[in-house]
Amino acid sequence: QVQVVESGGGLVQAGGSLILSCTASGLTFSSYGMGWFRQAPGKEREGVSCISRSGRNQYYADSVKGRFTISRDNAKNTLYLQMNSLKPEDTAMYYCAAEVVLADYCSASNREYNYWGQGTQVTVSS
């Protein structure tokens, strides 16, 4: 049974930092593309960042480029999202997802992902 579990969310002031973690079990983690998505109240879920199974290929949404860094530790089955210079508009539920891939890439679209976590809330106060 595949399980994807996010952690690390919380309340932070604007300009602050948080590190989100995501642990996946029940799958061969190193074979999956991994992504972070977020959804704010009343808005659609959007792609934040993704990383290929080797870590060599990454994608960032324009809204987070230069502020967020995605990484993965395949030995620990863990995905990370380092979030710096946080803004109130970053407030959302953040989700981790795993994507079945046939090559070393990841998808920005949430429609491509097969397994999802329950989410961790990030709230940035102004």
Side-chain angles (χ1 to χ4, degrees):
Q1 182 179 355
V2 176
Q3 284 193 317
V4 178
V5 181
E6 305 94 337
S7 62
L11 174 64
V12 63
Q13 288 189 330
S17 298
L18 281 175
I19 301 175
L20 303 185
S21 299
C22 167
T23 301
S25 59
L27 50 74
T28 305
F29 183 78
S30 59
S31 297
Y32 285 75
M34 298 296 297
W36 286 103
F37 297 83
R38 67 186 181 186
Q39 188 167 19
K43 295 188 176 181
E44 291 188 357
R45 189 170 297 188
E46 64 172 349
V48 174
S49 181
C50 73
I51 188 167
S52 67
R53 57 192 186 190
S54 74
R56 283 192 291 268
N57 299 307
Q58 301 172 9
Y59 158 84
Y60 294 94
D62 288 342
S63 58
V64 306
K65 276 181 185 175
R67 301 189 297 122
F68 290 11
T69 302
I70 193 170
S71 61
R72 65 189 296 163
D73 185 336
N74 286 342
K76 295 182 178 180
N77 285 13
T78 302
L79 176 73
Y80 303 98
L81 186 68
Q82 171 74 53
M83 304 187 295
N84 297 328
S85 303
L86 282 161
K87 304 176 181 180
E89 50 264 43
D90 294 317
T91 295
M93 185 70 79
Y94 282 70
Y95 297 91
C96 170
E99 175 190 16
V100 175
V101 292
L102 300 179
D104 196 31
Y105 68 89
C106 64
S107 301
S109 171
N110 58 11
R111 296 185 180 89
E112 303 298 325
Y113 286 77
N114 306 94
Y115 303 105
W116 291 82
Q118 293 300 307
T120 186
Q121 178 68 38
V122 172
T123 302
V124 184
S125 63
S126 57

